[in-house]
Amino acid sequence: MTTLERARCELKAHPLALDAALAAAVLVCMVAGSLATPKDGQGVTWGTHVPAPLSLLLMLLAALTLVFRRRAPRTVLALTGTLSVVECVTGDPRAPVTMSAVVALYTVAATTDRTTTFRVGLLTMTVLTAAAMLAGPLPWYAQENLGVLAWTGIGATAGDAVRSRRAVVQAIRERAERAERTREEEARRRVAEERLRIARDLHDVVAHHIALVNVQAGVAAHVMDKRPDQAKEALAHVREASRSALNELRATVGLLRQSGDPEAPTEPAPGLSLLEELADTFRSAGLPVEVARTDQDTHLPAAVDLAAYRIVQEALTNVRKHAGAGARAEVSVVPVGRNIEITVVDDGSGETGAPGTHPEGAPDSAPEKGGGHGLLGMRERVGALNGALTIGPRYGGGFRVHAILPVSTTDTRIDGRTTAPGEPV
C-alpha cells in the first residue's frame, strides 16, 4: 500500500478530521480571495488590503461550520448561506464567504436524493444570487454576481453526480453479491439433489440384493444338513447376488469420484432392458414373477428408463419382504399414449406360515416387519419426472404399485445443456 492510499484510508476512518482539514483549506481560499481587489481597466490584481474584522469573523465562522457538514448537512447549508447573505450586505470589499455555502450545498446534494437537491439548490442559488445583485456594492450585472450563480449550480450538480455514482457502484456491488449468493444456493441445491438421487440408488441396490442374500442364506442354513445340493445352489445365488450388489454399489459410488480419479464407472445405468434378469433374481429367491411387456419398440429417456427399473425393483423387493409365503407377483409395462405405465401387483396375504414355494418351509418365508424408505424413494423418482404414482392394497387381497411416467419429459436447461428432469447433472 502506497503512502497516498494509506493516508486516504486514514482519512476515511476519521471523517471529522477530514472535514476539519477541508474547512481549513476553504478558510485559506476565502482569506486569499478577499485580498484580490478588482481595479477598473486593469483587471484583477493582488493587493495588500487587509479584510475588515467583520469579514474575517464571517469567514472564520463559515469555516468552523463546515467541520460538521457530514453530521447536519442541511443545517450547515442554512448557516453558511446566512453568513454569505450577511457578507453580501455588510462586507466591503466582499469576502468570498459564498465558497463555504457552495461546499455545504455540494454535501447536501451528495447525501440526499435528486428531488431534494433540485429544491434546495434552486433556493440557495436564488437567495445568494439575489443578495449579491441587490445588496452588493457592484452592479447587478457584474460578473462576480453571475459567478455566484454559476458556482452554486456547479456545487449542486457535482454533489448530485457523486451521489449517482455512489448509488451505481453500490447497486453493482449488491448485484454481484446477490449473484454470488444465488450461485452458491444453486450449487447447494444441486448437491442436495445429487445426494438424494445417490441415496435412492444406494437404497434400491442394498434393499434388493441384501434381501435376496438374506433369503438365500436362510435357505442354505435350513437345508444344509438334509439337502446339501440345494444348499450349494442357494449359496451360488448368494454369491451372484452379492457380486451384483458390489458392482452396482461400485458404479453408484463411482459417481462421487473426481474428474481425475482412475477407474471411473463406464457401465450404463440399469433400465427395463434388464427387467427379465431382475425377475430371474427374484424367481431364484422363491418368488414367482410373471412379466408382461408391450413396450419393446418404445424408446425411453435415460431418466425414465432408470426410474421404471428402480420402481419395479423396489416393488418386487417389498413383495418378497412383506407379502408373505406363497405370494406371487405380476409385472406389466405398457405404453399408453405419451406415457408408460408400470404396474406391480401381488396376491400375498402378509400372513406367516402360508404354504408357498419356499423349499422345505424355510423360516425366512415369513414377511418382514417394519418400514423403510422404499415407497418414499419411489414417490420422489416419479415426482421428479412429473409422473403419477398409486400405491395401496388390492381389493380381495394383495398389494398394487402403479406408476405413470411421461415418455416425453419437459426438458430443463442446466449450464448450457439440456437434460431431462431427474437426470443426474
Side-chain angles (χ1 to χ4, degrees), residues 58-89:
L58 293 175
M59 289 186 285
L60 181 60
L61 292 177
L64 290 176
T65 304
L66 289 180
V67 176
F68 306 97
R69 68 186 185 95
R70 294 179 191 265
R71 297 184 179 182
R74 298 187 186 186
T75 303
V76 171
L77 176 60
L79 293 176
T80 53
T82 301
L83 293 175
S84 299
V85 171
V86 172
E87 180 264 336
C88 288
V89 175

Side-chain angles (χ1 to χ4, degrees), residues 209-226:
H209 290 289
I210 297 304
L212 295 181
V213 168
N214 182 40
V215 170
Q216 296 295 344
V219 171
H222 186 71
V223 301
M224 181 67 72
D225 296 332
K226 297 180 180 179

Side-chain angles (χ1 to χ4, degrees), residues 186 216 238 273 381:
E186 179 67 14
Q216 296 295 344
V238 169
S273 60
R381 288 185 182 277

Side-chain angles (χ1 to χ4, degrees), residues 225-254:
D225 296 332
K226 297 180 180 179
R227 302 179 62 180
D229 55 338
Q230 190 172 355
K232 182 183 294 186
E233 182 181 354
L235 292 176
H237 289 308
V238 169
R239 182 177 60 183
E240 184 65 26
S242 61
R243 182 186 296 113
S244 299
L246 288 176
N247 290 337
E248 291 197 34
L249 284 173
R250 185 180 299 112
T252 303
V253 178

Side-chain angles (χ1 to χ4, degrees), residues 286-288 320 323-328 347-367:
L287 175 64
R320 184 65 194 85
R328 302 174 63 86
D347 57 358
S349 61
E351 297 177 356
T352 306
T357 59
H358 288 282
E360 303 294 334
D364 287 338
S365 60

Side-chain angles (χ1 to χ4, degrees), residues 167-220:
V168 170
V169 172
Q170 181 65 21
I172 294 175
R173 184 180 295 110
E174 291 178 355
R175 187 160 55 248
E177 293 176 354
R178 185 164 55 252
E180 183 66 23
R181 288 195 301 268
T182 302
R183 284 194 295 268
E184 293 177 356
E185 292 173 358
E186 179 67 14
R188 286 194 296 267
R189 184 186 65 82
R190 292 186 182 181
V191 169
E193 291 179 353
E194 185 67 10
R195 287 177 177 174
L196 181 60
R197 189 191 65 80
I198 294 175
R200 287 199 301 260
D201 287 343
L202 288 175
H203 171 268
D204 294 339
V205 171
V206 172
H208 167 59
H209 290 289
I210 297 304
L212 295 181
V213 168
N214 182 40
V215 170
Q216 296 295 344
V219 171

Side-chain angles (χ1 to χ4, degrees), residues 58-127:
L58 293 175
M59 289 186 285
L60 181 60
L61 292 177
L64 290 176
T65 304
L66 289 180
V67 176
F68 306 97
R69 68 186 185 95
R70 294 179 191 265
R71 297 184 179 182
R74 298 187 186 186
T75 303
V76 171
L77 176 60
L79 293 176
T80 53
T82 301
L83 293 175
S84 299
V85 171
V86 172
E87 180 264 336
C88 288
V89 175
T90 61
D92 187 25
R94 294 199 312 274
V97 182
T98 307
M99 184 182 301
S100 61
V102 172
V103 175
L105 180 59
Y106 164 84
T107 304
V108 172
T111 55
T112 59
D113 55 273
R114 180 161 296 175
T115 302
T116 303
T117 300
F118 177 78
R119 293 175 180 175
V120 174
L122 183 61
L123 177 62
T124 303
M125 292 168 57
T126 302
V127 171

Side-chain angles (χ1 to χ4, degrees), residues 115-157:
T115 302
T116 303
T117 300
F118 177 78
R119 293 175 180 175
V120 174
L122 183 61
L123 177 62
T124 303
M125 292 168 57
T126 302
V127 171
L128 294 184
T129 305
M133 289 181 174
L134 300 178
L138 297 178
W140 67 270
Y141 53 83
Q143 61 181 5
E144 287 83 355
N145 297 334
L146 298 179
V148 173
L149 177 66
W151 279 109
T152 51
I154 291 174
T157 304

